[in-house]
Amino acid sequence: MNRSAIVFLACVAMLSSCASGPPAQDPAKAANTKVLENFTLIDGTGRDAVPGAAIVITDGRITYAGPKSGAPAAPGAARTDLAGKFVMPGIINLHGHVGNVKGVKQDQSFYTKDNLMKQLNTYARYGVTAVVSMGSDTDVIFGVRDEQRSGRATTARVFTAGRGFTGADGYPSTMAGMKGVPFEVKTSAEVEADVNELAAKKVDLVKIWVDDHLGKEKKISIDLCKAIIGNARKHGLKVAAHVFYHDDALKLSEAGLYAFAHSVRDKPVNEALIGMAKKNGTWQIPTFTREVSTFTYAKTPAFLKDEFFLKGADPEAVAGVQAPEFMAQQNLKKLSDSGVKIGFGTDTGPPGRFSGYFEHMEMDLMAEAGLTPQQIIQSFSSSAAEYLGVSKDLGTLEAGKWADLVVLVRNPLENISNARSIDQVLISGEKVN
Ligand SMILES: [Zn+2]
């Protein structure tokens, strides 16, 4: 006897109750629905946390997130009791590099799909559910990205700037394993051809390195940067720049740059830069952990942050001996307080900048700079999605978006270091292994 015959006989036996009962569930639909319940929800919008919450996920997307009391009935759904736990959005890292590293060696010959997937999975295990690879990619990444976007991602989602720009023999093409990685441009005609190539590959944004590596390398001219920004705009592409110097940042913001992909690290940000960034909507991606690694893991001496010392010391003298890391932290606080848009990024991926772990170190450094846990969470969730123009699909834990989330044992709103207490990570609603 088939299933419908059994149901029919049961109905005949129970007559009235069957006719007036709830409509029959579609078993296929129920099989693809899961419910997480009894946790505290931190949804990434900046709203207060919701205790006693539930998230309903169907086919990898959130169909409900909020108080459990308001959740739709989902008979037949798989239920996970997360009592005592906290759920926050997956971390979106707006500045990473993927595919080029094996161990502590960097070379584009290592760039294979396997190596890329391995690194994406490392990110995912630490709760990083999306990463923007900033200018050091080969075409391998487009296949992986397009495969993820045409279905359900199972590991950290990639966004890519393809190949970034520098000038002839400019930084970072002179660094180990980086020759031939960025475009080295000399003329605006070259810029136009290269931007056209990137647009044809549908890059997610465009990257420029604007740095002389503390005077040791060649830096691209501001005129060529303007040509890159202008050409990118014709294709509707946004441009983010690796910056170091305050005055470069100011000129680039004025020229319509979309984001500073690192902090200004040579001097305190002034009112002119803050005003320009606000007027033109230039984002700041701080990447503190880059300094931690670049300066061979050196830390700023504690006395340089001691209130007692700072009370009497000459500010100019203090600025002169500060590590770029500390300058960057002071600048972040100032930019954030002034209302400049802040996105989360780390510059992980190159040798010694460990993917996944450094994202958590970055959060600690942002807290040390004076940002609240709520601000830090928004920087890697709602703000990061806004930055990428993907708020429809990613960022917050709200109905309609992919269920990319992190289940935590301890409350990250009490202390952002609690974001390390990972119980499980879900991407498109499926557990990452
Ligand atoms: Zn970078």
mmCIF file of all heavy atoms in Angstrom, residues 317-357:
data_model
loop_
_atom_site.group_PDB
_atom_site.id
_atom_site.type_symbol
_atom_site.label_atom_id
_atom_site.label_comp_id
_atom_site.label_asym_id
_atom_site.label_seq_id
_atom_site.Cartn_x
_atom_site.Cartn_y
_atom_site.Cartn_z
ATOM 1 N N ALA A 317 56.389 64.781 19.842
ATOM 2 C CA ALA A 317 57.442 63.814 20.135
ATOM 3 C C ALA A 317 56.859 62.412 20.280
ATOM 4 O O ALA A 317 57.418 61.429 19.790
ATOM 5 C CB ALA A 317 58.176 64.210 21.415
ATOM 6 N N VAL A 318 55.693 62.342 20.901
ATOM 7 C CA VAL A 318 55.049 61.033 21.081
ATOM 8 C C VAL A 318 54.678 60.454 19.716
ATOM 9 O O VAL A 318 54.953 59.293 19.417
ATOM 10 C CB VAL A 318 53.780 61.155 21.970
ATOM 11 C CG1 VAL A 318 53.044 59.821 22.044
ATOM 12 C CG2 VAL A 318 54.160 61.623 23.377
ATOM 13 N N ALA A 319 54.108 61.329 18.841
ATOM 14 C CA ALA A 319 53.727 60.873 17.496
ATOM 15 C C ALA A 319 54.936 60.349 16.737
ATOM 16 O O ALA A 319 54.848 59.370 15.995
ATOM 17 C CB ALA A 319 53.062 62.007 16.722
ATOM 18 N N GLY A 320 56.089 60.994 16.947
ATOM 19 C CA GLY A 320 57.303 60.631 16.222
ATOM 20 C C GLY A 320 57.870 59.257 16.576
ATOM 21 O O GLY A 320 58.576 58.666 15.773
ATOM 22 N N VAL A 321 57.577 58.786 17.778
ATOM 23 C CA VAL A 321 58.132 57.473 18.162
ATOM 24 C C VAL A 321 57.084 56.367 18.140
ATOM 25 O O VAL A 321 57.371 55.206 18.396
ATOM 26 C CB VAL A 321 58.784 57.514 19.573
ATOM 27 C CG1 VAL A 321 59.985 58.440 19.575
ATOM 28 C CG2 VAL A 321 57.782 57.929 20.653
ATOM 29 N N GLN A 322 55.871 56.742 17.813
ATOM 30 C CA GLN A 322 54.822 55.731 17.816
ATOM 31 C C GLN A 322 54.949 54.764 16.655
ATOM 32 O O GLN A 322 55.290 55.159 15.549
ATOM 33 C CB GLN A 322 53.449 56.392 17.721
ATOM 34 C CG GLN A 322 52.847 56.662 19.066
ATOM 35 C CD GLN A 322 51.730 57.658 18.969
ATOM 36 O OE1 GLN A 322 51.331 58.038 17.866
ATOM 37 N NE2 GLN A 322 51.230 58.084 20.102
ATOM 38 N N ALA A 323 54.631 53.503 16.913
ATOM 39 C CA ALA A 323 54.562 52.523 15.836
ATOM 40 C C ALA A 323 53.348 52.868 14.978
ATOM 41 O O ALA A 323 52.356 53.394 15.492
ATOM 42 C CB ALA A 323 54.406 51.132 16.425
ATOM 43 N N PRO A 324 53.417 52.585 13.662
ATOM 44 C CA PRO A 324 52.279 52.860 12.785
ATOM 45 C C PRO A 324 50.986 52.231 13.297
ATOM 46 O O PRO A 324 49.907 52.771 13.095
ATOM 47 C CB PRO A 324 52.702 52.235 11.460
ATOM 48 C CG PRO A 324 54.187 52.214 11.498
ATOM 49 C CD PRO A 324 54.561 52.023 12.940
ATOM 50 N N GLU A 325 51.140 51.110 13.984
ATOM 51 C CA GLU A 325 49.969 50.400 14.501
ATOM 52 C C GLU A 325 49.164 51.287 15.454
ATOM 53 O O GLU A 325 47.937 51.357 15.395
ATOM 54 C CB GLU A 325 50.449 49.136 15.231
ATOM 55 C CG GLU A 325 49.421 48.445 16.082
ATOM 56 C CD GLU A 325 50.063 47.648 17.215
ATOM 57 O OE1 GLU A 325 51.234 47.251 17.088
ATOM 58 O OE2 GLU A 325 49.379 47.455 18.229
ATOM 59 N N PHE A 326 49.879 51.987 16.341
ATOM 60 C CA PHE A 326 49.201 52.823 17.327
ATOM 61 C C PHE A 326 48.596 54.049 16.649
ATOM 62 O O PHE A 326 47.480 54.472 16.967
ATOM 63 C CB PHE A 326 50.178 53.209 18.445
ATOM 64 C CG PHE A 326 49.518 53.915 19.600
ATOM 65 C CD1 PHE A 326 48.258 53.532 20.051
ATOM 66 C CD2 PHE A 326 50.157 54.959 20.242
ATOM 67 C CE1 PHE A 326 47.643 54.170 21.122
ATOM 68 C CE2 PHE A 326 49.548 55.615 21.314
ATOM 69 C CZ PHE A 326 48.301 55.224 21.752
ATOM 70 N N MET A 327 49.338 54.613 15.694
ATOM 71 C CA MET A 327 48.819 55.756 14.928
ATOM 72 C C MET A 327 47.512 55.350 14.238
ATOM 73 O O MET A 327 46.531 56.099 14.237
ATOM 74 C CB MET A 327 49.859 56.174 13.879
ATOM 75 C CG MET A 327 49.456 57.369 13.059
ATOM 76 S SD MET A 327 49.386 58.878 14.028
ATOM 77 C CE MET A 327 51.138 59.159 14.314
ATOM 78 N N ALA A 328 47.514 54.152 13.665
ATOM 79 C CA ALA A 328 46.329 53.648 12.973
ATOM 80 C C ALA A 328 45.156 53.513 13.932
ATOM 81 O O ALA A 328 44.018 53.836 13.589
ATOM 82 C CB ALA A 328 46.641 52.301 12.325
ATOM 83 N N GLN A 329 45.446 53.062 15.143
ATOM 84 C CA GLN A 329 44.365 52.885 16.129
ATOM 85 C C GLN A 329 43.756 54.230 16.527
ATOM 86 O O GLN A 329 42.536 54.369 16.602
ATOM 87 C CB GLN A 329 44.882 52.157 17.368
ATOM 88 C CG GLN A 329 45.047 50.661 17.141
ATOM 89 C CD GLN A 329 45.535 49.966 18.390
ATOM 90 O OE1 GLN A 329 46.506 50.379 19.018
ATOM 91 N NE2 GLN A 329 44.876 48.885 18.759
ATOM 92 N N GLN A 330 44.617 55.215 16.758
ATOM 93 C CA GLN A 330 44.103 56.546 17.103
ATOM 94 C C GLN A 330 43.266 57.099 15.960
ATOM 95 O O GLN A 330 42.228 57.711 16.167
ATOM 96 C CB GLN A 330 45.265 57.492 17.394
ATOM 97 C CG GLN A 330 45.965 57.203 18.703
ATOM 98 C CD GLN A 330 47.111 58.180 18.933
ATOM 99 O OE1 GLN A 330 47.944 58.389 18.057
ATOM 100 N NE2 GLN A 330 47.158 58.775 20.104
ATOM 101 N N ASN A 331 43.740 56.884 14.730
ATOM 102 C CA ASN A 331 43.017 57.395 13.564
ATOM 103 C C ASN A 331 41.662 56.714 13.392
ATOM 104 O O ASN A 331 40.689 57.351 13.012
ATOM 105 C CB ASN A 331 43.872 57.241 12.301
ATOM 106 C CG ASN A 331 44.964 58.309 12.228
ATOM 107 O OD1 ASN A 331 44.874 59.339 12.910
ATOM 108 N ND2 ASN A 331 45.986 58.072 11.425
ATOM 109 N N LEU A 332 41.605 55.427 13.683
ATOM 110 C CA LEU A 332 40.324 54.727 13.539
ATOM 111 C C LEU A 332 39.277 55.328 14.473
ATOM 112 O O LEU A 332 38.143 55.592 14.076
ATOM 113 C CB LEU A 332 40.464 53.224 13.835
ATOM 114 C CG LEU A 332 39.102 52.495 13.836
ATOM 115 C CD1 LEU A 332 38.461 52.514 12.458
ATOM 116 C CD2 LEU A 332 39.233 51.073 14.340
ATOM 117 N N LYS A 333 39.692 55.544 15.718
ATOM 118 C CA LYS A 333 38.741 56.071 16.707
ATOM 119 C C LYS A 333 38.209 57.439 16.245
ATOM 120 O O LYS A 333 37.012 57.715 16.292
ATOM 121 C CB LYS A 333 39.439 56.163 18.066
ATOM 122 C CG LYS A 333 38.620 56.774 19.175
ATOM 123 C CD LYS A 333 37.434 55.913 19.589
ATOM 124 C CE LYS A 333 36.698 56.543 20.786
ATOM 125 N NZ LYS A 333 35.291 56.143 20.810
ATOM 126 N N LYS A 334 39.133 58.258 15.750
ATOM 127 C CA LYS A 334 38.763 59.599 15.303
ATOM 128 C C LYS A 334 37.801 59.525 14.094
ATOM 129 O O LYS A 334 36.789 60.221 14.047
ATOM 130 C CB LYS A 334 40.046 60.339 14.901
ATOM 131 C CG LYS A 334 40.022 61.828 15.150
ATOM 132 C CD LYS A 334 41.456 62.347 15.187
ATOM 133 C CE LYS A 334 41.590 63.786 14.802
ATOM 134 N NZ LYS A 334 43.021 64.192 14.717
ATOM 135 N N LEU A 335 38.134 58.680 13.129
ATOM 136 C CA LEU A 335 37.295 58.544 11.930
ATOM 137 C C LEU A 335 35.925 57.990 12.292
ATOM 138 O O LEU A 335 34.895 58.465 11.797
ATOM 139 C CB LEU A 335 37.977 57.632 10.901
ATOM 140 C CG LEU A 335 39.248 58.196 10.253
ATOM 141 C CD1 LEU A 335 40.025 57.085 9.536
ATOM 142 C CD2 LEU A 335 38.930 59.321 9.281
ATOM 143 N N SER A 336 35.909 56.998 13.158
ATOM 144 C CA SER A 336 34.647 56.373 13.560
ATOM 145 C C SER A 336 33.769 57.379 14.303
ATOM 146 O O SER A 336 32.581 57.522 13.994
ATOM 147 C CB SER A 336 34.946 55.155 14.437
ATOM 148 O OG SER A 336 33.754 54.628 14.968
ATOM 149 N N ASP A 337 34.365 58.098 15.244
ATOM 150 C CA ASP A 337 33.595 59.104 16.002
ATOM 151 C C ASP A 337 33.068 60.207 15.080
ATOM 152 O O ASP A 337 32.032 60.807 15.352
ATOM 153 C CB ASP A 337 34.459 59.738 17.099
ATOM 154 C CG ASP A 337 34.711 58.779 18.254
ATOM 155 O OD1 ASP A 337 34.079 57.701 18.282
ATOM 156 O OD2 ASP A 337 35.554 59.099 19.122
ATOM 157 N N SER A 338 33.799 60.478 13.984
ATOM 158 C CA SER A 338 33.388 61.552 13.063
ATOM 159 C C SER A 338 32.323 61.095 12.081
ATOM 160 O O SER A 338 31.824 61.881 11.291
ATOM 161 C CB SER A 338 34.592 62.039 12.253
ATOM 162 O OG SER A 338 35.664 62.335 13.092
ATOM 163 N N GLY A 339 32.018 59.801 12.064
ATOM 164 C CA GLY A 339 30.968 59.310 11.174
ATOM 165 C C GLY A 339 31.459 58.805 9.833
ATOM 166 O O GLY A 339 30.659 58.569 8.927
ATOM 167 N N VAL A 340 32.779 58.629 9.682
ATOM 168 C CA VAL A 340 33.298 58.000 8.459
ATOM 169 C C VAL A 340 32.939 56.515 8.518
ATOM 170 O O VAL A 340 32.961 55.902 9.588
ATOM 171 C CB VAL A 340 34.829 58.203 8.353
ATOM 172 C CG1 VAL A 340 35.418 57.394 7.202
ATOM 173 C CG2 VAL A 340 35.150 59.690 8.178
ATOM 174 N N LYS A 341 32.575 55.940 7.368
ATOM 175 C CA LYS A 341 32.149 54.546 7.336
ATOM 176 C C LYS A 341 33.332 53.608 7.579
ATOM 177 O O LYS A 341 34.375 53.756 6.931
ATOM 178 C CB LYS A 341 31.510 54.221 5.985
ATOM 179 C CG LYS A 341 30.194 54.936 5.775
ATOM 180 C CD LYS A 341 29.628 54.588 4.411
ATOM 181 C CE LYS A 341 28.278 55.257 4.229
ATOM 182 N NZ LYS A 341 27.633 54.790 3.003
ATOM 183 N N ILE A 342 33.130 52.655 8.476
ATOM 184 C CA ILE A 342 34.198 51.730 8.845
ATOM 185 C C ILE A 342 33.814 50.311 8.417
ATOM 186 O O ILE A 342 32.741 49.815 8.768
ATOM 187 C CB ILE A 342 34.426 51.730 10.385
ATOM 188 C CG1 ILE A 342 34.623 53.163 10.922
ATOM 189 C CG2 ILE A 342 35.593 50.805 10.743
ATOM 190 C CD1 ILE A 342 35.820 53.913 10.387
ATOM 191 N N GLY A 343 34.699 49.663 7.676
ATOM 192 C CA GLY A 343 34.492 48.262 7.299
ATOM 193 C C GLY A 343 35.609 47.414 7.888
ATOM 194 O O GLY A 343 36.688 47.928 8.193
ATOM 195 N N PHE A 344 35.344 46.133 8.038
ATOM 196 C CA PHE A 344 36.293 45.237 8.698
ATOM 197 C C PHE A 344 37.249 44.598 7.685
ATOM 198 O O PHE A 344 36.815 44.069 6.662
ATOM 199 C CB PHE A 344 35.509 44.132 9.415
ATOM 200 C CG PHE A 344 36.362 43.160 10.164
ATOM 201 C CD1 PHE A 344 36.808 43.457 11.434
ATOM 202 C CD2 PHE A 344 36.713 41.937 9.604
ATOM 203 C CE1 PHE A 344 37.593 42.559 12.144
ATOM 204 C CE2 PHE A 344 37.497 41.033 10.297
ATOM 205 C CZ PHE A 344 37.940 41.348 11.569
ATOM 206 N N GLY A 345 38.542 44.648 7.977
ATOM 207 C CA GLY A 345 39.509 43.997 7.096
ATOM 208 C C GLY A 345 40.812 43.760 7.822
ATOM 209 O O GLY A 345 41.096 44.413 8.836
ATOM 210 N N THR A 346 41.605 42.836 7.303
ATOM 211 C CA THR A 346 42.800 42.408 8.043
ATOM 212 C C THR A 346 44.075 42.338 7.209
ATOM 213 O O THR A 346 45.161 42.408 7.750
ATOM 214 C CB THR A 346 42.559 40.996 8.594
ATOM 215 O OG1 THR A 346 42.199 40.152 7.491
ATOM 216 C CG2 THR A 346 41.467 40.986 9.649
ATOM 217 N N ASP A 347 43.931 42.122 5.900
ATOM 218 C CA ASP A 347 45.091 41.859 5.037
ATOM 219 C C ASP A 347 45.742 40.516 5.355
ATOM 220 O O ASP A 347 46.957 40.369 5.256
ATOM 221 C CB ASP A 347 46.125 42.998 5.142
ATOM 222 C CG ASP A 347 46.966 43.142 3.874
ATOM 223 O OD1 ASP A 347 46.667 42.454 2.875
ATOM 224 O OD2 ASP A 347 47.921 43.939 3.884
ATOM 225 N N THR A 348 44.926 39.535 5.717
ATOM 226 C CA THR A 348 45.489 38.197 5.963
ATOM 227 C C THR A 348 45.723 37.460 4.654
ATOM 228 O O THR A 348 45.176 37.815 3.620
ATOM 229 C CB THR A 348 44.542 37.342 6.827
ATOM 230 O OG1 THR A 348 43.211 37.453 6.320
ATOM 231 C CG2 THR A 348 44.596 37.774 8.274
ATOM 232 N N GLY A 349 46.533 36.415 4.744
ATOM 233 C CA GLY A 349 46.808 35.574 3.579
ATOM 234 C C GLY A 349 48.272 35.518 3.202
ATOM 235 O O GLY A 349 48.819 34.436 3.022
ATOM 236 N N PRO A 350 48.953 36.684 3.085
ATOM 237 C CA PRO A 350 50.394 36.630 2.797
ATOM 238 C C PRO A 350 51.160 35.927 3.942
ATOM 239 O O PRO A 350 50.605 35.767 5.036
ATOM 240 C CB PRO A 350 50.788 38.108 2.695
ATOM 241 C CG PRO A 350 49.532 38.813 2.326
ATOM 242 C CD PRO A 350 48.440 38.060 3.045
ATOM 243 N N PRO A 351 52.423 35.524 3.685
ATOM 244 C CA PRO A 351 53.162 34.751 4.697
ATOM 245 C C PRO A 351 53.152 35.428 6.073
ATOM 246 O O PRO A 351 53.391 36.630 6.185
ATOM 247 C CB PRO A 351 54.585 34.713 4.131
ATOM 248 C CG PRO A 351 54.400 34.846 2.663
ATOM 249 C CD PRO A 351 53.210 35.751 2.487
ATOM 250 N N GLY A 352 52.852 34.660 7.097
ATOM 251 C CA GLY A 352 52.891 35.157 8.469
ATOM 252 C C GLY A 352 51.655 35.895 8.916
ATOM 253 O O GLY A 352 51.536 36.267 10.082
ATOM 254 N N ARG A 353 50.713 36.122 7.964
ATOM 255 C CA ARG A 353 49.464 36.792 8.358
ATOM 256 C C ARG A 353 48.365 35.747 8.290
ATOM 257 O O ARG A 353 47.775 35.529 7.232
ATOM 258 C CB ARG A 353 49.166 37.959 7.423
ATOM 259 C CG ARG A 353 50.246 39.008 7.463
ATOM 260 C CD ARG A 353 49.801 40.219 6.668
ATOM 261 N NE ARG A 353 50.921 40.820 5.986
ATOM 262 C CZ ARG A 353 50.818 41.505 4.858
ATOM 263 N NH1 ARG A 353 49.645 41.652 4.282
ATOM 264 N NH2 ARG A 353 51.879 42.053 4.305
ATOM 265 N N PHE A 354 48.147 35.088 9.415
ATOM 266 C CA PHE A 354 47.371 33.866 9.442
ATOM 267 C C PHE A 354 45.871 34.095 9.278
ATOM 268 O O PHE A 354 45.245 34.783 10.078
ATOM 269 C CB PHE A 354 47.672 33.094 10.725
ATOM 270 C CG PHE A 354 49.103 32.637 10.795
ATOM 271 C CD1 PHE A 354 50.071 33.387 11.455
ATOM 272 C CD2 PHE A 354 49.491 31.460 10.153
ATOM 273 C CE1 PHE A 354 51.404 32.965 11.490
ATOM 274 C CE2 PHE A 354 50.816 31.035 10.185
ATOM 275 C CZ PHE A 354 51.769 31.792 10.857
ATOM 276 N N SER A 355 45.326 33.504 8.207
ATOM 277 C CA SER A 355 43.903 33.626 7.884
ATOM 278 C C SER A 355 43.059 33.043 9.010
ATOM 279 O O SER A 355 43.364 31.969 9.521
ATOM 280 C CB SER A 355 43.583 32.864 6.598
ATOM 281 O OG SER A 355 44.423 33.310 5.568
ATOM 282 N N GLY A 356 42.020 33.741 9.379
ATOM 283 C CA GLY A 356 41.095 33.230 10.391
ATOM 284 C C GLY A 356 41.458 33.702 11.783
ATOM 285 O O GLY A 356 40.696 34.428 12.410
ATOM 286 N N TYR A 357 42.638 33.332 12.245
ATOM 287 C CA TYR A 357 43.051 33.738 13.591
ATOM 288 C C TYR A 357 43.248 35.259 13.675
ATOM 289 O O TYR A 357 42.829 35.913 14.631
ATOM 290 C CB TYR A 357 44.342 33.033 14.000
ATOM 291 C CG TYR A 357 44.813 33.486 15.371
ATOM 292 C CD1 TYR A 357 44.206 33.002 16.524
ATOM 293 C CD2 TYR A 357 45.823 34.440 15.503
ATOM 294 C CE1 TYR A 357 44.596 33.438 17.776
ATOM 295 C CE2 TYR A 357 46.220 34.893 16.753
ATOM 296 C CZ TYR A 357 45.609 34.385 17.886
ATOM 297 O OH TYR A 357 45.989 34.838 19.116
#
